[in-house]
Amino acid sequence: MRYSRAEYAKMLAAQHEVARAEEDYNRLRAAYLEIARNEPGHEVALAMIGADMDRAHAHLQVLVGLPQLPFTHDPSRTLAAEATREPGEHEKEKESA
């Protein structure tokens, strides 16, 4: 399958936009995890980064073509639960399942 130059340029631009959105989401996720583990009492920072992370995740879903489902949990809520677990707890749950 061959693309015209214009189609190829659009495809490259879309790939770069998805990569940039994914980097933004991963950067915010790492910041959220760091604060959740090191300063769990800093609720304002967690709320602000969590909101930004949720928006970045929603933007990434739109770029990839996934619909925004009403029952989908916010990534920050899932990540907050993950950050409060002990490091070995996640492996124990996998083994028992």
Side-chain angles (χ1 to χ4, degrees):
M1 183 168 166
R2 295 185 59 129
Y3 295 105
S4 69
R5 289 182 189 206
E7 290 172 334
Y8 184 71
K10 285 180 187 177
M11 184 182 64
L12 282 180
Q15 287 176 344
H16 289 294
E17 190 173 353
V18 168
R20 187 173 42 247
E22 191 172 16
E23 287 172 5
D24 288 344
Y25 172 72
N26 287 330
R27 181 177 43 82
L28 290 165
R29 185 180 189 280
Y32 188 94
L33 266 178
E34 182 180 335
I35 291 174
R37 288 185 179 144
N38 298 332
E39 301 177 47
H42 206 304
E43 294 173 3
V44 174
L46 289 173
M48 291 175 69
I49 294 173
D52 286 341
M53 189 178 76
D54 293 339
R55 278 192 293 274
H57 186 262
H59 180 67
L60 185 58
Q61 283 184 319
V62 168
L63 288 175
V64 177
L66 296 174
Q68 185 71 18
L69 303 174
F71 54 84
T72 304
H73 297 292
D74 292 335
S76 62
R77 289 185 188 175
T78 306
L79 195 57
E82 184 180 313
T84 58
R85 289 187 194 150
E86 291 297 318
E89 226 177 288
H90 189 63
E91 287 78 27
K92 290 177 187 176
E93 288 178 4
K94 283 183 180 178
E95 291 172 3
S96 65

Coordinates of all heavy atoms in Angstrom, one line a residue:
M1 N 0.8 -1.2 0.0 CA 0.0 0.0 0.0 C 0.9 1.2 0.0 O 1.8 1.3 0.8 CB -0.9 0.0 1.2 CG -1.9 1.1 1.3 SD -3.0 0.6 2.7 CE -3.8 2.1 2.9
R2 N 0.6 2.1 -0.9 CA 1.4 3.3 -1.0 C 0.6 4.5 -0.6 O -0.6 4.6 -0.8 CB 1.9 3.5 -2.4 CG 2.8 2.4 -2.9 CD 3.3 2.7 -4.2 NE 4.0 4.0 -4.2 CZ 5.2 4.2 -4.7 NH1 5.9 3.2 -5.2 NH2 5.8 5.3 -4.6
Y3 N 1.3 5.5 0.1 CA 0.7 6.7 0.5 C 1.2 7.9 -0.3 O 2.3 7.9 -0.8 CB 1.0 7.0 2.0 CG 0.5 6.0 2.9 CD1 1.3 5.1 3.5 CD2 -0.8 6.0 3.3 CE1 0.8 4.1 4.4 CE2 -1.4 5.1 4.2 CZ -0.5 4.2 4.8 OH -1.0 3.3 5.7
S4 N 0.3 8.9 -0.5 CA 0.8 10.1 -1.2 C 1.6 10.8 -0.1 O 1.6 10.5 1.1 CB -0.4 10.9 -1.6 OG -1.1 11.5 -0.5
R5 N 2.3 11.8 -0.6 CA 3.1 12.6 0.4 C 2.3 13.3 1.4 O 2.7 13.3 2.6 CB 3.9 13.7 -0.4 CG 5.0 13.1 -1.2 CD 5.8 14.1 -1.9 NE 6.7 13.5 -2.9 CZ 7.8 14.0 -3.3 NH1 8.2 15.2 -2.9 NH2 8.6 13.4 -4.1
A6 N 1.2 13.8 1.1 CA 0.3 14.4 2.1 C -0.2 13.4 3.1 O -0.2 13.7 4.3 CB -0.9 15.1 1.4
E7 N -0.6 12.3 2.6 CA -1.1 11.2 3.6 C 0.0 10.8 4.5 O -0.2 10.5 5.7 CB -1.7 10.0 2.8 CG -3.0 10.3 2.1 CD -3.4 9.2 1.2 OE1 -2.5 8.4 0.7 OE2 -4.6 9.1 0.9
Y8 N 1.2 10.6 3.9 CA 2.3 10.2 4.7 C 2.7 11.2 5.8 O 3.0 10.9 6.9 CB 3.5 9.9 3.8 CG 4.7 9.3 4.5 CD1 4.7 8.1 5.0 CD2 5.9 10.1 4.7 CE1 5.8 7.6 5.7 CE2 7.0 9.6 5.4 CZ 6.9 8.4 5.9 OH 8.0 7.9 6.6
A9 N 2.6 12.5 5.4 CA 2.9 13.6 6.3 C 1.9 13.6 7.5 O 2.2 13.8 8.6 CB 3.0 14.9 5.6
K10 N 0.6 13.4 7.1 CA -0.4 13.3 8.2 C -0.2 12.2 9.1 O -0.4 12.3 10.3 CB -1.8 13.2 7.5 CG -2.3 14.4 6.9 CD -3.7 14.2 6.3 CE -4.2 15.4 5.5 NZ -5.5 15.1 4.9
M11 N 0.2 11.0 8.5 CA 0.4 9.8 9.4 C 1.6 10.0 10.3 O 1.5 9.7 11.5 CB 0.7 8.6 8.5 CG 0.8 7.3 9.3 SD 1.2 5.9 8.2 CE 2.8 6.3 7.5
L12 N 2.7 10.6 9.8 CA 3.8 10.9 10.7 C 3.4 11.9 11.8 O 3.9 11.8 12.9 CB 5.0 11.5 9.9 CG 5.8 10.5 9.1 CD1 6.9 11.2 8.3 CD2 6.4 9.4 10.0
A13 N 2.7 12.9 11.4 CA 2.2 13.9 12.4 C 1.4 13.3 13.5 O 1.5 13.6 14.7 CB 1.5 15.1 11.7
A14 N 0.5 12.4 13.1 CA -0.3 11.7 14.1 C 0.5 10.8 15.0 O 0.3 10.7 16.2 CB -1.4 10.8 13.3
Q15 N 1.5 10.1 14.4 CA 2.4 9.3 15.2 C 3.1 10.1 16.3 O 3.3 9.7 17.4 CB 3.3 8.5 14.4 CG 2.7 7.4 13.6 CD 3.7 6.7 12.7 OE1 4.7 7.2 12.4 NE2 3.3 5.5 12.2
H16 N 3.6 11.3 15.8 CA 4.4 12.2 16.8 C 3.4 12.7 17.8 O 3.8 12.8 19.0 CB 5.0 13.3 16.0 CG 6.2 12.9 15.2 ND1 7.3 12.4 15.7 CD2 6.3 12.9 13.8 CE1 8.2 12.1 14.7 NE2 7.6 12.4 13.6
E17 N 2.2 13.0 17.5 CA 1.3 13.5 18.5 C 0.9 12.4 19.5 O 0.8 12.7 20.7 CB 0.0 14.0 17.8 CG -0.9 14.8 18.7 CD -2.1 15.4 18.0 OE1 -2.1 15.4 16.8 OE2 -2.9 16.0 18.7
V18 N 0.7 11.2 19.1 CA 0.5 10.1 20.0 C 1.7 9.9 20.9 O 1.5 9.7 22.1 CB 0.1 8.8 19.2 CG1 0.1 7.6 20.1 CG2 -1.3 9.0 18.6
A19 N 2.9 9.9 20.3 CA 4.1 9.7 21.1 C 4.2 10.8 22.2 O 4.6 10.5 23.3 CB 5.3 9.6 20.2
R20 N 3.9 12.0 21.8 CA 4.0 13.2 22.7 C 3.0 13.0 23.8 O 3.3 13.2 25.0 CB 3.9 14.5 22.0 CG 4.1 15.7 22.8 CD 4.1 17.0 22.0 NE 3.1 17.1 21.0 CZ 3.3 17.2 19.7 NH1 4.5 17.1 19.2 NH2 2.3 17.3 18.9
A21 N 1.8 12.6 23.5 CA 0.7 12.5 24.5 C 1.1 11.3 25.4 O 0.8 11.4 26.6 CB -0.6 12.2 23.8
E22 N 1.6 10.3 24.9 CA 2.0 9.1 25.8 C 3.2 9.5 26.7 O 3.2 9.2 27.9 CB 2.5 8.0 24.9 CG 2.6 6.7 25.7 CD 2.9 5.5 24.7 OE1 3.2 5.7 23.6 OE2 2.7 4.4 25.3
E23 N 4.1 10.3 26.2 CA 5.2 10.8 27.1 C 4.6 11.7 28.2 O 5.1 11.6 29.3 CB 6.2 11.6 26.3 CG 7.1 10.7 25.4 CD 8.0 11.5 24.4 OE1 8.0 12.8 24.5 OE2 8.6 10.9 23.6
D24 N 3.7 12.6 27.8 CA 3.1 13.5 28.8 C 2.4 12.6 29.9 O 2.5 12.9 31.1 CB 2.1 14.4 28.2 CG 2.7 15.5 27.4 OD1 3.9 15.7 27.5 OD2 2.0 16.1 26.6
Y25 N 1.6 11.7 29.5 CA 0.9 10.8 30.4 C 1.9 10.1 31.3 O 1.7 10.0 32.6 CB 0.0 9.8 29.7 CG -0.6 8.8 30.7 CD1 -1.6 9.2 31.6 CD2 -0.2 7.5 30.7 CE1 -2.2 8.3 32.4 CE2 -0.7 6.6 31.6 CZ -1.7 7.0 32.5 OH -2.2 6.1 33.3
N26 N 2.9 9.5 30.8 CA 3.9 8.7 31.6 C 4.7 9.6 32.5 O 4.9 9.2 33.7 CB 4.8 8.0 30.7 CG 4.2 6.8 30.0 OD1 3.3 6.2 30.6 ND2 4.6 6.4 28.8
R27 N 5.0 10.8 32.1 CA 5.7 11.8 33.0 C 4.8 12.2 34.2 O 5.2 12.2 35.3 CB 6.0 13.0 32.2 CG 6.8 14.1 32.9 CD 7.2 15.3 32.0 NE 6.1 15.7 31.1 CZ 5.1 16.5 31.4 NH1 5.0 17.0 32.7 NH2 4.2 16.9 30.6
L28 N 3.5 12.5 33.9 CA 2.6 12.8 35.0 C 2.3 11.6 35.9 O 2.2 11.8 37.1 CB 1.2 13.3 34.4 CG 1.3 14.7 33.7 CD1 0.1 14.9 32.9 CD2 1.5 15.8 34.8
R29 N 2.3 10.4 35.3 CA 2.0 9.2 36.1 C 3.2 9.0 37.1 O 3.0 8.7 38.3 CB 1.9 8.0 35.2 CG 1.6 6.7 35.9 CD 1.4 5.6 34.9 NE 0.9 4.4 35.5 CZ 1.6 3.5 36.2 NH1 2.9 3.7 36.4 NH2 1.0 2.5 36.7
A30 N 4.4 9.2 36.6 CA 5.6 9.0 37.4 C 5.7 10.1 38.5 O 6.0 9.7 39.7 CB 6.9 9.1 36.6
A31 N 5.3 11.3 38.2 CA 5.2 12.4 39.2 C 4.2 12.0 40.3 O 4.4 12.2 41.5 CB 5.0 13.7 38.6
Y32 N 3.0 11.6 39.9 CA 2.0 11.2 40.8 C 2.4 10.1 41.7 O 2.3 10.2 43.0 CB 0.7 10.8 40.0 CG -0.5 10.6 40.9 CD1 -1.4 11.6 41.1 CD2 -0.7 9.4 41.6 CE1 -2.5 11.4 41.9 CE2 -1.8 9.2 42.4 CZ -2.7 10.2 42.6 OH -3.8 10.1 43.4
L33 N 3.0 9.1 41.2 CA 3.5 7.9 42.0 C 4.6 8.4 43.0 O 4.6 8.0 44.1 CB 4.1 6.8 41.1 CG 3.2 5.7 40.7 CD1 3.9 4.8 39.8 CD2 2.6 5.0 41.9
E34 N 5.5 9.2 42.5 CA 6.6 9.7 43.4 C 6.0 10.5 44.6 O 6.4 10.3 45.8 CB 7.5 10.6 42.6 CG 8.7 11.1 43.5 CD 9.6 12.0 42.7 OE1 9.7 11.8 41.5 OE2 10.3 12.8 43.3
I35 N 5.0 11.4 44.3 CA 4.4 12.2 45.4 C 3.6 11.3 46.3 O 3.6 11.4 47.5 CB 3.6 13.3 44.9 CG1 4.6 14.4 44.3 CG2 2.8 14.0 46.0 CD1 3.9 15.5 43.6
A36 N 2.9 10.3 45.7 CA 2.0 9.5 46.5 C 2.8 8.6 47.5 O 2.4 8.3 48.6 CB 1.2 8.6 45.6
R37 N 4.0 8.2 47.0 CA 4.8 7.3 47.9 C 5.6 8.1 48.9 O 5.8 7.7 50.0 CB 5.8 6.5 47.0 CG 5.0 5.4 46.3 CD 6.0 4.5 45.5 NE 5.2 3.5 44.8 CZ 5.5 3.0 43.6 NH1 6.5 3.5 43.0 NH2 4.7 2.1 43.1
N38 N 6.2 9.3 48.5 CA 7.1 10.1 49.3 C 6.4 11.1 50.2 O 6.8 11.4 51.3 CB 8.1 10.8 48.5 CG 9.0 9.8 47.8 OD1 9.2 8.6 48.2 ND2 9.5 10.2 46.6
E39 N 5.3 11.7 49.7 CA 4.6 12.7 50.5 C 3.0 12.4 50.4 O 2.3 13.2 49.8 CB 4.9 14.1 49.9 CG 6.3 14.4 50.0 CD 6.6 15.8 49.4 OE1 5.8 16.7 49.7 OE2 7.5 15.9 48.6
P40 N 2.6 11.3 51.0 CA 1.1 11.0 50.8 C 0.2 12.0 51.4 O -1.0 12.1 51.0 CB 1.0 9.7 51.5 CG 2.2 9.6 52.4 CD 3.2 10.4 51.8
G41 N 0.6 12.9 52.3 CA -0.2 13.9 52.9 C -0.4 15.1 52.0 O -1.2 16.0 52.4
H42 N 0.3 15.2 50.9 CA 0.3 16.4 50.1 C -0.9 16.3 49.1 O -0.7 16.0 47.9 CB 1.6 16.6 49.3 CG 1.9 18.0 48.9 ND1 1.0 18.7 48.2 CD2 3.0 18.8 49.2 CE1 1.5 19.9 48.0 NE2 2.7 20.0 48.6
E43 N -2.1 16.4 49.6 CA -3.3 16.1 48.9 C -3.5 17.1 47.7 O -4.1 16.7 46.7 CB -4.5 16.1 49.8 CG -4.5 15.0 50.8 CD -5.6 15.1 51.8 OE1 -6.4 16.0 51.7 OE2 -5.6 14.3 52.7
V44 N -3.1 18.3 47.8 CA -3.3 19.3 46.8 C -2.5 19.0 45.6 O -3.0 19.0 44.4 CB -3.0 20.8 47.3 CG1 -3.1 21.7 46.1 CG2 -3.9 21.2 48.4
A45 N -1.3 18.6 45.8 CA -0.4 18.2 44.7 C -0.9 16.9 44.0 O -0.9 16.8 42.8 CB 1.0 18.0 45.1
L46 N -1.4 16.0 44.8 CA -1.9 14.8 44.2 C -3.2 15.0 43.4 O -3.3 14.5 42.3 CB -2.2 13.7 45.3 CG -1.0 13.1 46.0 CD1 -1.5 12.3 47.2 CD2 -0.2 12.3 45.0
A47 N -4.0 15.9 43.9 CA -5.2 16.3 43.2 C -4.9 17.0 41.9 O -5.5 16.7 40.8 CB -6.2 17.1 44.0
M48 N -4.0 17.9 41.9 CA -3.6 18.7 40.7 C -3.0 17.8 39.6 O -3.3 17.8 38.5 CB -2.7 19.8 41.0 CG -3.5 20.9 41.8 SD -2.4 22.2 42.4 CE -2.0 23.0 40.8
I49 N -2.0 17.0 40.1 CA -1.3 16.1 39.1 C -2.3 15.0 38.6 O -2.3 14.6 37.5 CB -0.1 15.5 39.8 CG1 1.0 16.6 40.0 CG2 0.5 14.4 38.9 CD1 2.2 16.1 40.8
G50 N -3.1 14.5 39.5 CA -4.1 13.5 39.2 C -5.1 14.0 38.1 O -5.4 13.3 37.1
A51 N -5.5 15.3 38.2 CA -6.4 15.8 37.2 C -5.7 16.0 35.9 O -6.3 15.7 34.8 CB -7.0 17.2 37.7
D52 N -4.5 16.5 35.9 CA -3.7 16.6 34.7 C -3.5 15.2 34.1 O -3.6 15.1 32.8 CB -2.4 17.3 34.9 CG -2.5 18.8 35.2 OD1 -3.6 19.3 34.8 OD2 -1.6 19.3 35.7
M53 N -3.2 14.2 34.9 CA -3.0 12.9 34.4 C -4.2 12.3 33.8 O -4.2 11.7 32.7 CB -2.5 12.0 35.5 CG -2.0 10.6 35.1 SD -1.4 9.6 36.4 CE -2.9 9.1 37.1
D54 N -5.4 12.5 34.4 CA -6.6 12.1 33.8 C -6.9 12.7 32.5 O -7.4 12.1 31.5 CB -7.8 12.3 34.8 CG -7.7 11.5 36.1 OD1 -7.0 10.5 36.0 OD2 -8.3 11.9 37.1
R55 N -6.7 14.0 32.4 CA -6.9 14.7 31.1 C -5.9 14.2 30.0 O -6.3 14.0 28.9 CB -6.7 16.2 31.3 CG -7.9 16.9 31.8 CD -7.8 18.4 31.6 NE -6.7 19.0 32.5 CZ -6.9 19.3 33.8 NH1 -8.1 19.2 34.3 NH2 -5.9 19.8 34.5
A56 N -4.7 14.0 30.4 CA -3.7 13.4 29.5 C -4.1 12.0 29.0 O -3.9 11.7 27.8 CB -2.3 13.4 30.1
H57 N -4.6 11.2 29.9 CA -5.1 9.9 29.6 C -6.3 9.9 28.6 O -6.3 9.2 27.6 CB -5.4 9.1 30.8 CG -5.8 7.7 30.6 ND1 -7.1 7.2 30.5 CD2 -5.0 6.6 30.4 CE1 -7.1 5.9 30.2 NE2 -5.8 5.5 30.2
A58 N -7.2 10.8 28.9 CA -8.4 11.0 28.0 C -7.9 11.4 26.6 O -8.5 11.0 25.6 CB -9.4 12.0 28.6
H59 N -7.0 12.4 26.6 CA -6.5 12.9 25.3 C -5.8 11.7 24.5 O -6.0 11.6 23.3 CB -5.5 14.0 25.5 CG -5.0 14.6 24.3 ND1 -5.7 15.3 23.3 CD2 -3.7 14.6 23.8 CE1 -5.0 15.7 22.3 NE2 -3.7 15.3 22.6
L60 N -5.0 10.9 25.2 CA -4.4 9.8 24.6 C -5.4 8.8 24.0 O -5.2 8.3 22.9 CB -3.4 9.1 25.6 CG -2.6 8.0 25.1 CD1 -1.7 8.5 23.9 CD2 -1.7 7.5 26.2
Q61 N -6.5 8.5 24.8 CA -7.5 7.6 24.3 C -8.2 8.2 23.0 O -8.4 7.4 22.1 CB -8.6 7.4 25.4 CG -8.1 6.5 26.5 CD -9.2 6.3 27.5 OE1 -9.9 7.2 27.9 NE2 -9.4 5.0 27.9
V62 N -8.4 9.5 23.0 CA -9.0 10.1 21.8 C -8.1 9.9 20.6 O -8.6 9.6 19.5 CB -9.4 11.5 22.1 CG1 -9.8 12.3 20.8 CG2 -10.5 11.6 23.1
L63 N -6.8 10.2 20.8 CA -5.9 10.1 19.7 C -5.8 8.7 19.2 O -5.6 8.5 18.0 CB -4.5 10.6 20.2 CG -4.3 12.1 20.4 CD1 -2.9 12.4 20.9 CD2 -4.6 12.8 19.1
V64 N -5.8 7.7 20.1 CA -5.7 6.3 19.6 C -7.0 5.8 19.0 O -7.0 4.8 18.3 CB -5.3 5.4 20.8 CG1 -5.2 4.0 20.4 CG2 -3.9 5.9 21.3
G65 N -8.1 6.5 19.3 CA -9.4 6.1 18.8 C -10.3 5.3 19.7 O -11.3 4.7 19.3
L66 N -9.9 5.3 21.0 CA -10.8 4.6 21.9 C -11.9 5.5 22.4 O -11.7 6.7 22.7 CB -9.9 4.1 23.1 CG -8.8 3.1 22.8 CD1 -8.0 2.9 24.1 CD2 -9.4 1.8 22.4
P67 N -13.1 5.0 22.6 CA -14.2 5.8 23.1 C -14.0 6.1 24.6 O -13.5 5.2 25.3 CB -15.4 5.0 22.8 CG -14.9 3.6 22.8 CD -13.5 3.6 22.3
Q68 N -14.5 7.2 25.0 CA -14.5 7.5 26.5 C -15.7 6.8 27.1 O -16.8 7.2 26.8 CB -14.5 9.0 26.7 CG -14.4 9.5 28.1 CD -13.0 9.2 28.7 OE1 -12.0 9.1 27.9 NE2 -12.8 9.3 29.9
L69 N -15.5 5.8 27.9 CA -16.6 5.1 28.5 C -16.9 5.6 29.8 O -16.1 6.0 30.6 CB -16.1 3.6 28.6 CG -15.7 2.9 27.3 CD1 -15.2 1.5 27.6 CD2 -16.9 2.8 26.3
P70 N -18.2 5.7 30.1 CA -18.7 6.4 31.4 C -18.3 5.6 32.6 O -18.1 6.1 33.7 CB -20.2 6.4 31.2 CG -20.5 5.4 30.2 CD -19.4 5.3 29.3
F71 N -18.0 4.3 32.5 CA -17.7 3.5 33.7 C -16.2 3.3 33.8 O -15.8 2.6 34.7 CB -18.4 2.1 33.6 CG -18.1 1.4 32.3 CD1 -16.9 0.6 32.2 CD2 -19.0 1.4 31.2 CE1 -16.6 0.0 31.0 CE2 -18.7 0.8 30.1 CZ -17.5 0.0 29.9
T72 N -15.4 3.9 33.0 CA -14.0 3.8 33.1 C -13.5 4.6 34.3 O -13.9 5.7 34.5 CB -13.3 4.3 31.9 OG1 -13.8 3.6 30.7 CG2 -11.8 4.1 31.9
H73 N -12.7 3.9 35.1 CA -12.1 4.6 36.3 C -11.1 5.6 35.9 O -10.3 5.4 34.9 CB -11.5 3.6 37.3 CG -12.5 2.7 37.8 ND1 -13.5 3.0 38.7 CD2 -12.7 1.3 37.6 CE1 -14.3 2.0 39.0 NE2 -13.8 0.9 38.4
D74 N -11.0 6.7 36.6 CA -9.9 7.6 36.4 C -8.6 7.0 36.7 O -8.4 6.3 37.7 CB -10.0 8.9 37.2 CG -11.3 9.7 36.9 OD1 -11.7 9.6 35.7 OD2 -11.8 10.4 37.7
P75 N -7.6 7.1 35.8 CA -6.3 6.5 36.0 C -5.7 6.9 37.4 O -5.0 6.1 38.0 CB -5.4 7.0 34.9 CG -6.4 7.4 33.8 CD -7.6 7.8 34.5
S76 N -5.9 8.2 37.8 CA -5.3 8.6 39.1 C -5.9 7.9 40.3 O -5.2 7.6 41.2 CB -5.5 10.1 39.2 OG -6.9 10.4 39.3
R77 N -7.2 7.5 40.2 CA -7.7 6.7 41.3 C -7.1 5.3 41.4 O -6.8 4.8 42.5 CB -9.2 6.6 41.2 CG -10.0 7.9 41.4 CD -11.4 7.7 41.4 NE -12.1 8.9 41.4 CZ -13.4 9.1 41.3 NH1 -14.2 8.0 41.1 NH2 -14.0 10.3 41.3
T78 N -7.0 4.7 40.2 CA -6.3 3.4 40.2 C -4.9 3.5 40.7 O -4.4 2.6 41.4 CB -6.4 2.8 38.8 OG1 -7.7 2.9 38.3 CG2 -5.9 1.4 38.7
L79 N -4.2 4.5 40.2 CA -2.8 4.7 40.6 C -2.6 5.0 42.1 O -1.7 4.5 42.7 CB -2.2 5.8 39.7 CG -0.7 5.9 39.7 CD1 -0.1 4.6 39.2 CD2 -0.3 7.0 38.8
A80 N -3.6 5.8 42.6 CA -3.5 6.1 44.1 C -3.7 4.8 44.9 O -2.9 4.6 45.9 CB -4.6 7.1 44.4
A81 N -4.6 3.9 44.5 CA -4.7 2.6 45.2 C -3.4 1.8 45.0 O -3.0 1.2 46.0 CB -5.9 1.9 44.6
E82 N -2.8 1.8 43.9 CA -1.6 1.1 43.6 C -0.4 1.7 44.5 O 0.4 0.9 45.0 CB -1.2 1.2 42.1 CG 0.0 0.4 41.7 CD 0.2 0.5 40.3 OE1 -0.7 0.4 39.5 OE2 1.4 0.7 39.9
A83 N -0.4 3.0 44.6 CA 0.7 3.6 45.3 C 0.6 3.4 46.8 O 1.7 3.3 47.5 CB 0.7 5.1 45.1
T84 N -0.6 3.2 47.3 CA -0.7 2.9 48.8 C -0.4 1.5 49.2 O -0.3 1.2 50.4 CB -2.1 3.3 49.3 OG1 -3.1 2.6 48.5 CG2 -2.4 4.8 49.1
R85 N -0.4 0.6 48.2 CA -0.1 -0.8 48.5 C 1.3 -1.0 48.9 O 2.2 -0.2 48.4 CB -0.4 -1.7 47.3 CG -1.8 -1.9 47.0 CD -2.0 -2.9 45.9 NE -3.3 -2.9 45.4 CZ -3.6 -3.1 44.1 NH1 -2.7 -3.5 43.3 NH2 -4.9 -3.1 43.7
E86 N 1.6 -2.0 49.6 CA 3.0 -2.3 49.9 C 3.6 -2.9 48.6 O 2.9 -3.5 47.8 CB 3.1 -3.4 51.0 CG 2.7 -2.8 52.3 CD 3.6 -1.7 52.8 OE1 4.8 -1.9 52.7 OE2 3.1 -0.7 53.3
P87 N 4.9 -2.7 48.4 CA 5.5 -3.2 47.1 C 5.3 -4.7 46.8 O 5.1 -5.0 45.7 CB 7.0 -3.0 47.4 CG 7.1 -1.8 48.3 CD 5.9 -2.0 49.2
G88 N 5.3 -5.6 47.8 CA 5.1 -7.0 47.5 C 3.6 -7.4 47.4 O 3.3 -8.6 47.1
E89 N 2.7 -6.5 47.8 CA 1.3 -6.9 47.8 C 0.7 -7.2 46.5 O -0.1 -8.1 46.3 CB 0.5 -5.7 48.4 CG -0.5 -6.1 49.4 CD -1.2 -4.8 50.0 OE1 -0.5 -4.1 50.7 OE2 -2.4 -4.6 49.7
H90 N 1.2 -6.5 45.4 CA 0.7 -6.7 44.1 C 1.0 -8.1 43.6 O 0.2 -8.8 42.9 CB 1.2 -5.7 43.1 CG 0.6 -5.7 41.8 ND1 -0.7 -5.4 41.6 CD2 1.2 -5.9 40.6 CE1 -0.9 -5.5 40.3 NE2 0.2 -5.8 39.6
E91 N 2.2 -8.6 43.9 CA 2.6 -9.9 43.5 C 1.8 -11.0 44.2 O 1.5 -12.1 43.6 CB 4.1 -10.2 43.7 CG 5.1 -9.4 42.7 CD 5.2 -7.9 43.1 OE1 5.0 -7.6 44.3 OE2 5.4 -7.2 42.1
K92 N 1.5 -10.8 45.4 CA 0.7 -11.8 46.2 C -0.7 -11.9 45.6 O -1.2 -13.0 45.5 CB 0.6 -11.3 47.7 CG 1.9 -11.4 48.4 CD 1.7 -10.9 49.8 CE 3.0 -10.9 50.6 NZ 2.9 -10.3 51.9
E93 N -1.3 -10.8 45.2 CA -2.6 -10.9 44.5 C -2.5 -11.6 43.2 O -3.5 -12.4 42.9 CB -3.1 -9.4 44.3 CG -3.5 -8.7 45.5 CD -4.0 -7.3 45.2 OE1 -4.1 -6.9 44.0 OE2 -4.3 -6.6 46.2
K94 N -1.5 -11.5 42.5 CA -1.4 -12.2 41.2 C -1.2 -13.7 41.4 O -1.8 -14.5 40.7 CB -0.1 -11.7 40.4 CG -0.3 -10.4 39.7 CD 0.9 -10.1 38.9 CE 0.8 -8.8 38.2 NZ 2.0 -8.4 37.5
E95 N -0.5 -14.1 42.5 CA -0.3 -15.5 42.8 C -1.6 -16.1 43.2 O -1.8 -17.3 42.9 CB 0.8 -15.7 43.8 CG 2.2 -15.3 43.3 CD 3.2 -15.3 44.4 OE1 2.9 -15.6 45.6 OE2 4.4 -15.0 44.1
S96 N -2.4 -15.4 44.0 CA -3.6 -16.0 44.5 C -4.7 -16.1 43.5 O -5.7 -16.9 43.6 CB -4.1 -15.2 45.7 OG -4.5 -13.9 45.3
A97 N -4.6 -15.3 42.4 CA -5.6 -15.3 41.3 C -5.5 -16.5 40.4 O -4.7 -17.3 40.4 CB -5.5 -14.0 40.5

